């Protein structure tokens, strides 16, 4: 019998024409045909299928023609017919001619393995000849390149021939795509349906299943992965189908036994009972079939699973473990014991995550049933620690499934986990991977929060002791976990398993509002703060429905049902907290920590309900309390929360609530402005008299309130810019006002300018309005520049941030007319960054021992913010790019604190202008080199500081990546400027090197980024400054020149050039050192110039005719040449060959013309 491929069959015919033949079975004997094998219809399968009344015409289009499916493999792979009808057709063919149909089935399994060879068969007609069993082995024919496998599928002896490279090719089970995924599903379904349809007939004939099992066992032992994988999958699916048959037999046997007993009782008085005898025969027949099926199952398990569960291929191991879990669930009577469970336990230690994952999923199906757990005590004790450790697996999905398995174990196994185990597993609720955290949240709820059992007869009330006890336990757990800023993560972890518990807001508010005298709960101040924070987190989760930051890259797309639930929750929140929130604000009016969280709750209200449900008095009470809090508190967090809540309430579309909120806000702002104006007038009238502490506190608190509200609201109608400007102009001469006044005043002025810019951008404006605004911006810039040197650090930083942010905004939205930065301002900003970020960083080691870790982190965060704001100016081209060189100098010293910011700035500037970015890197290295030279009186390359500069150059080189063509111009420009700087200062004596010559060692770090053609060109540019005497000089002072030359003349160039023509440069200059074997050098070697010229003339004879002068000065140009001028580098690429010829060493570098301005041209 042949498979699908004709090419493989032809190959087999050429080499094995006598051994490979089409097997035809006639009257139970083998009939071997010696004629060539042709692809044709097989009577055993196709003819029967054509004659079948249930046949549907399966076809597929190939090369414009319709070709009918002629094999089982093609029918299953096309998948257009129902599997059951295919199986029924095959059963009909089997009942008509079982040998031919069985050969069809055998060939089907071979073809499903992706085998493109042939299958031959012969009957094993001599059972006494046991020597043939020794020949059933795999052999390889080196001459034909084919591999043969002969094995016994009783009563057949099968020989499979396939190409030797089959193991390296794809086969159907591992091919990607929906088509092959469906094929795998159809393949598994075919085996299941075949056994199902045959379970009452042919599977007990002692022929069909024996042959199939022999075939699958033989293939599963093959060294070819395709055979092994396909046969193992089919064998385990066959075993699963047999398990279903055994289950049905158990049911039938049980029913037969019952009928037999009933009939036996009825016929006790009768001597002869034919029905009783029939039932007894039927019962014995069922028992016999049961034994036969169990024997088949045992043979499949021992012959397939025991050999393949530890296969080298992870997919085979995974499917074995997956199926044994199915067997244990379906037939626990036989498979659910320690003899079989140990295989799953061993696979928990597998190196491949997929195998470990299948093992955990198999165990989940067992532990979720309490009846099974009692049979797994030994396994649970043995492998519990391993399962707990798998929650820290490197694969996220394995961690999640391990945690879910532990949840099932906790639910159905009593007293299994120790206190230490639970404390370890509870902490996973703070994991960044949300599925793992959600599974840990369910574990926490079952093991810790549900430990309090509610009494059966207890009255169900909203404030039941059961719910209160759960809340207290949750608060205690949160306090003990020491993650006091992660309550939103805790709520998100518990949300999926306990939404009703976390949405019990009446219970939470009742605990908070209980009278202090009759307090029954006994919450501490810390617990109350956490309860308020927990309540806010649950409200946010209910209304928004998105995971917190770090647990999801994008917002979750909600279904219609989820959106409806959110709207219902929002209505519940509004109805409940409209009444209780004012009471909470009254009770905790003096507690800023609680107020910050309570004031955020109205942002999630549906404000329309205030009027639909006639709750206007509750809105009035809320606004009254918010106004009282804004007037009485001066904490920045409280004022910011109050301001944002006013903004969220007034942004609603409905006019009625909007008017009420706006009116309350105007009254509050008017009161604050009047207070500030009154105190300011008193201060200005007093003149030079010092302000009292009471006046300072009053103005400071009022300015902070106005700044907080001005951030979220447009207060330009009160003209706060002029009022705050008057205070700062009063302070400008002596700068004697405290920072508590100056800092909020600068904030008010900054916000006023931003709100004034909005109508200029969005609405049409006159030139006069623009001029007035430009004058105000200029005035604010002057104030900020003067306050950059203020004695208080907070004022200096506020002035710097306001200045930089305003420059950014005006540059992007206001145009360059409003954003003008001169060189003086640039130097002031750079000086500020150098002093407050980097110089302070040098003193950090002195202060770190005196401050705690939290203070150090706050200081570091502030420095990073200052540096990031300044780098934004550079990236946005507001400040000259050359200013960033000062920041690059600190890259190595401050890598741990600011390395990410500096590296990102380097990447952004390179995207803007590669040439200018390269110049800044060279400028940075020049400045560091000059500082080193000044500190050591000479440029000593052996000092530690020079080594640090060299390491910095290496780090800069790594940022260019591996795409050398992309950064070609930049690297060439860096080498050009580096060479010019190295020879800029002449040597004091003729025998001494130039003072800046060690700078070449820094530039040599970038030589690896040069293309080979550019290396030759750069080397030619180096010759323009370094004479031949310099190149031949030796000594420590000239070592940088030697090192730099070697980086340009690498060994690869030398090896390539040595394989060139007879007139190659390396053959001419046989006595020159290796690093000097180039045309431009040897032309200056005494006694060799003429020889070199003759060689070049011979080479040029193969080129188009040119004048001798042109050949001498301008040889054949490069395919890709870099033209080096003093100002710019350009890349010239020929259209016919844009790629640089890297391997052509005979392409000469153009001569360099010398002129007064030191220019180089490449013709």
């Amino acid at each position: 019998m042949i498979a699908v491929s004709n090419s493989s069959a032809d190959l087999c015919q050429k080499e094995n024409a006598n051994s490979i033949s089409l097997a035809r079975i006639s009257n139970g004997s083998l009939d071997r045909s010696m004629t060539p094998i042709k692809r044709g219809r097989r009577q055993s399968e196709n003819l029967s299928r054509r004659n079948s009344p249930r046949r549907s015409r399966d076809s597929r289009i190939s090369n414009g023609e319709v070709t009918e499916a002629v094999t089982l493999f093609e029918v299953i792979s096309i998948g257009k017919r129902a599997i059951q009808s295919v199986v029924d057709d095959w059963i009909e063919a089997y009942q008509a001619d079982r040998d031919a149909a069985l050969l069809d089935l055998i060939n089907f399994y071979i073809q499903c393995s992706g085998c493109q060879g042939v299958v031959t068969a012969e009957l094993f007609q001599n059972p006494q000849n046991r020597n043939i069993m020794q020949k059933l082995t795999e052999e390889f024919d080196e001459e034909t390149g084919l591999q043969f496998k002969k094995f016994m599928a009783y009563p057949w002896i099968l020989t499979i021939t396939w190409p030797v490279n089959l193991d390296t090719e794809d086969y159907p089970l591992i091919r990607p795509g929906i088509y092959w995924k469906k094929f795998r599903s159809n393949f598994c379904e075919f085996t299941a349906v075949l056994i199902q349809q045959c379970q009452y007939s042919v599977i007990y004939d002692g022929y069909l299943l024996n042959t199939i099992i022999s075939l699958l066992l033989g293939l599963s032992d093959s060294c070819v992965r395709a055979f092994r994988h396909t046969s193992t999958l089919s064998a385990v699916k066959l075993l699963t189908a047999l398990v279903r048959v055994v289950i049905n037999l158990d049911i039938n046997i049980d029913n037969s036994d019952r009928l037999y007993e009933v009939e036996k009782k009825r016929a006790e008085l009768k001597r002869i009972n034919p029905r009783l005898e029939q039932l007894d025969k039927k019962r014995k027949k069922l028992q016999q079939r049961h034994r036969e099926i169990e024997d088949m199952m045992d043979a499949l398990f021992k012959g397939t699973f025991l050999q393949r569960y530890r296969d080298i291929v992870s997919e085979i191991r995974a499917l074995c473990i997956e199926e044994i879990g199915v067997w244990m669930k379906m037939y626990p009577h036989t498979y659910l014991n320690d003899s079989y469970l140990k295989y799953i336990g061993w696979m928990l230690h597998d190196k491949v995550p997929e195998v470990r994952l299948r093992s955990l999923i198999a165990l989940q199906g067992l532990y979720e049933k309490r009846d099974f757990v009692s049979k797994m005590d030994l396994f649970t004790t043995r492998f519990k620690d391993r399962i707990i450790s798998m929650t820290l697996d490197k694969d996220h999905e394995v961690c999640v499934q391990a945690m879910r398995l532990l949840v099932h174990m906790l639910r159905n196994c009593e007293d299994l986990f120790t206190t230490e185990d639970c404390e370890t597993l509870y902490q996973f609720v703070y994991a960044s991977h949300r599925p793992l955290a959600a599974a840990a949240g369910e574990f926490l709820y079952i093991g810790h929060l549900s430990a309090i059992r509610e009494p059966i007869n207890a009255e169900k009330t909203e404030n039941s002791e059961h719910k209160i006890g759960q809340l207290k336990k949750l608060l205690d757990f949160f306090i003990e976990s020491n993650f006091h800023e992660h309550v939103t993560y805790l709520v998100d972890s518990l949300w999926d398993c306990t939404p009703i518990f976390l949405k019990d807001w009446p219970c939470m508010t009742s605990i908070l509002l209980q009278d202090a005298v009759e307090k029954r709960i006994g919450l501490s101040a810390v617990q109350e703060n956490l309860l308020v924070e927990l309540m806010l987190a649950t409200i946010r989760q209910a209304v928004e429905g998105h995971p917190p930051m770090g647990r999801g890259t994008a917002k979750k797309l909600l279904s219609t049902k989820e959106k409806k639930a959110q709207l219902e929750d929002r209505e519940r929140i509004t109805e409940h907290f409209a009444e209780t929130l004012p009471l909470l604000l009254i009770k905790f009016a003096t507690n800023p920590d609680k107020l910050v969280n309570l004031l955020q709750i109205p942002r999630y209200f549906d404000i329309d309900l205030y009027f639909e449900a006639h709750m206007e008095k509750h809105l009035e009470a809320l606004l009254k309390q918010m106004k009282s809090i804004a007037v009485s508190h001066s904490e920045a967090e409280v004022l910011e929360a109050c301001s944002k809540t006013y903004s969220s309430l007034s942004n609603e579309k409905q006019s009625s609530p909007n008017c009420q909120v706006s009116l309350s806000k105007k009254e509050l702002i008017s009161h604050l402005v009047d207070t500030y104006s009154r105190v300011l007038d008193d201060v200005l009238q007093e003149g030079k008299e010092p302000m009292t502490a009471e006046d300072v506190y009053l103005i400071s608190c009022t300015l902070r309130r106005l700044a907080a509200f001005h951030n979220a609201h447009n207060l330009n109608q009160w003209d706060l810019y002029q009022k705050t400007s008057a205070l700062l102009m009063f302070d400008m001469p002596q700068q004697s006002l405290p920072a508590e006044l100056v800092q909020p005043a600068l904030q008010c002025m900054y916000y006023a300018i931003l709100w004034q810019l909005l109508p200029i951008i969005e609405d049409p404006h006159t030139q006069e309005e623009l001029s007035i605004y430009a004058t105000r911006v200029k005035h604010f810039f002057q104030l900020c520049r003067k306050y950059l040197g203020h004695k208080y650090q907070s004022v200096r930083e506020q002035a710097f941030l306001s200045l930089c942010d305003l420059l950014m905004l005006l540059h992007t939205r206001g145009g360059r007319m409003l954003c003008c930065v001169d060189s003086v301002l640039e130097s002031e900003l750079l000086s500020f960054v150098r002093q407050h970020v980097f110089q302070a960083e040098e003193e950090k080691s002195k202060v770190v021992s005196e401050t705690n870790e939290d203070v150090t982190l706050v200081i570091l965060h502030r420095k990073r913010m200052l540096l990031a704001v300044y780098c934004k100016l550079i990236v946005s081209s507001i400040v000259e790019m050359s200013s960033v060189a000062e920041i690059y100098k600190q890259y190595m010293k401050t890598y741990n604190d600011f390395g990410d910011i500096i590296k990102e700035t380097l990447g952004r500037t390179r995207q803007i202008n590669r040439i200018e970015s390269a110049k800044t890197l060279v400028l940075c290295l020049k400045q560091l080199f000059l500082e080193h030279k000044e500190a050591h009186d000479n440029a000593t390359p052996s000092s530690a500081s020079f080594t640090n500069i060299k390491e910095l150059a290496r780090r800069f080189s790594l940022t260019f990546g591996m795409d050398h063509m992309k950064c070609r111009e930049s690297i060439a420009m860096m080498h050009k400027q580096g060479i010019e700087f190295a020879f800029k200062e002449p040597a004091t004596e003729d025998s001494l090197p130039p003072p800046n010559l060690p700078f070449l060692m820094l530039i040599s770090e970038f030589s690896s980024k040069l293309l080979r053609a550019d290396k030759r060109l750069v080397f030619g540019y180096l010759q323009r400054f370094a004479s031949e005497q310099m190149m031949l000089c030796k000594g420590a002072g000239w070592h940088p020149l030697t090192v730099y030359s070697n980086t340009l003349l690498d060994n690869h160039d030398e090896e390539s050039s040595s394989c060139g023509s007879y007139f190659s440069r390396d053959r001419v200059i046989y006595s020159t050192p290796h690093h000097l074997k180039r045309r431009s050098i040897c032309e200056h070697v005494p006694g060799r110039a003429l020889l070199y010229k003759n060689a070049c003339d011979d080479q040029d004879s193969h080129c188009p005719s040119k004048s001798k002068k042109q050949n001498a000065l301008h040889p054949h140009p490069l395919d890709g040449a870099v033209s080096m001028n003093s100002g710019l580098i350009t890349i010239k690429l020929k259209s016919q060959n844009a790629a640089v010829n890297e391997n052509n060493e005979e392409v000469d570098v153009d001569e360099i013309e010398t002129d007064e301005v030191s220019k180089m041209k490449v013709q």
Side-chain angles (χ1 to χ4, degrees), residues 308-327:
R308 301 276 68 83
Y309 84 94
R310 51 187 178 181
D311 195 280
I312 192 173
V313 180
S314 60
E315 290 87 348
I316 299 178
R317 301 198 302 271
L319 68 90
C320 288
I321 295 302
E322 181 181 9
E323 289 302 316
I324 195 175
V326 175
W327 304 334

Side-chain angles (χ1 to χ4, degrees), residues 10-19 141 143-144 146:
D10 294 339
L11 178 62
C12 297
Q13 293 165 20
K14 293 179 182 179
E15 306 295 339
N16 300 283
N18 296 326
S19 62
D141 190 346
E143 297 181 358
T144 62
L146 299 176

Side-chain angles (χ1 to χ4, degrees), residues 863-882:
K863 292 178 180 178
R864 287 175 58 87
M865 182 173 57
L866 296 175
L867 179 61
V869 168
Y870 180 73
C871 290
K872 285 182 182 179
L873 298 180
I874 298 174
V875 170
S876 302
S877 302
I878 301 174
V879 176
E880 291 294 334
M881 194 178 295
S882 57

Side-chain angles (χ1 to χ4, degrees), residues 369-593:
K369 296 184 178 181
R370 188 179 292 271
D371 298 338
F372 292 170
V373 173
S374 59
K375 301 179 181 180
M376 303 172 64
D377 292 337
L378 182 60
F379 176 86
T380 303
T381 305
R382 171 65 179 82
F383 291 99
K384 182 197 72 172
D385 294 336
R386 171 57 185 165
I387 296 173
I388 293 177
S389 66
M390 293 179 75
T391 55
L392 296 173
D393 197 277
K394 62 181 181 180
D395 186 81
H396 287 312
E397 190 61 26
V398 173
C399 296
V400 174
Q401 298 303 330
M403 186 62 71
R404 290 177 180 172
L405 175 59
L406 292 171
V407 170
H408 293 306
M409 297 171 68
L410 178 66
R411 185 177 282 127
N412 296 322
C413 302
E414 297 181 359
D415 302 328
L416 177 61
F417 297 99
T418 63
T419 305
E420 292 76 11
D421 294 337
C422 293
E423 290 178 354
T424 302
L425 295 173
Y426 290 160
Q427 299 303 316
F428 282 95
V429 295
Y430 301 107
S432 59
H433 188 57
R434 191 180 188 279
L436 175 61
E442 186 177 359
F443 188 91
L444 172 65
Y445 182 76
I446 297 173
H448 188 67
L449 302 181
S450 297
I452 302 177
R453 299 297 179 185
E454 190 173 3
I456 299 177
N457 298 325
E459 184 180 357
K460 303 287 184 174
T461 60
E462 293 182 349
N463 299 327
S464 65
E465 297 296 331
H466 173 69
K467 296 179 180 179
I468 295 175
Q470 281 186 319
L471 279 175
K472 287 191 63 177
K473 294 199 71 173
L474 181 59
L475 295 176
D476 292 337
F477 166 76
F478 185 61
I479 294 174
E480 294 172 359
S481 61
N482 295 323
F483 290 101
H484 296 166
E485 296 180 358
H486 295 73
V487 66
T488 54
Y489 295 90
L490 177 61
V491 170
D492 182 61
S493 301
L494 292 169
W495 192 258
D496 293 339
C497 60
T498 61
I500 299 177
F501 164 64
L502 294 177
K503 291 180 182 179
D504 194 358
W505 298 299
C507 180
M508 299 180 188
T509 53
S510 64
I511 295 175
L512 293 172
L513 289 174
Q514 63 182 341
D515 192 2
V517 179
E518 301 178 357
K519 183 175 289 188
R520 303 183 309 274
I521 311 302
L523 293 182
S524 63
V526 177
Q527 288 177 327
E528 284 186 347
N529 290 339
L530 290 179
L531 182 56
V532 174
E533 190 176 354
L534 177 69
M535 185 170 61
L536 174 63
T538 56
I539 292 172
R540 182 189 298 113
Q541 187 77 15
V543 175
E544 295 181 350
H546 302 304
M549 185 180 301
R551 279 194 179 171
T553 55
K555 290 187 176 182
K556 179 182 177 183
L557 296 177
L558 302 178
S559 62
T560 305
K561 183 178 179 180
E562 291 173 336
K563 292 179 180 179
K564 182 180 179 181
Q566 283 188 357
L567 294 176
E568 294 175 354
D569 290 337
R570 191 177 184 187
E571 291 179 0
R572 288 181 52 213
I573 291 169
T574 306
E575 292 174 355
H576 175 71
F577 284 98
E579 181 180 357
T580 57
L581 184 58
L583 301 177
L584 292 172
L585 294 176
I586 292 174
K587 181 176 181 179
F588 302 111
T590 58
N591 192 321
D593 295 335

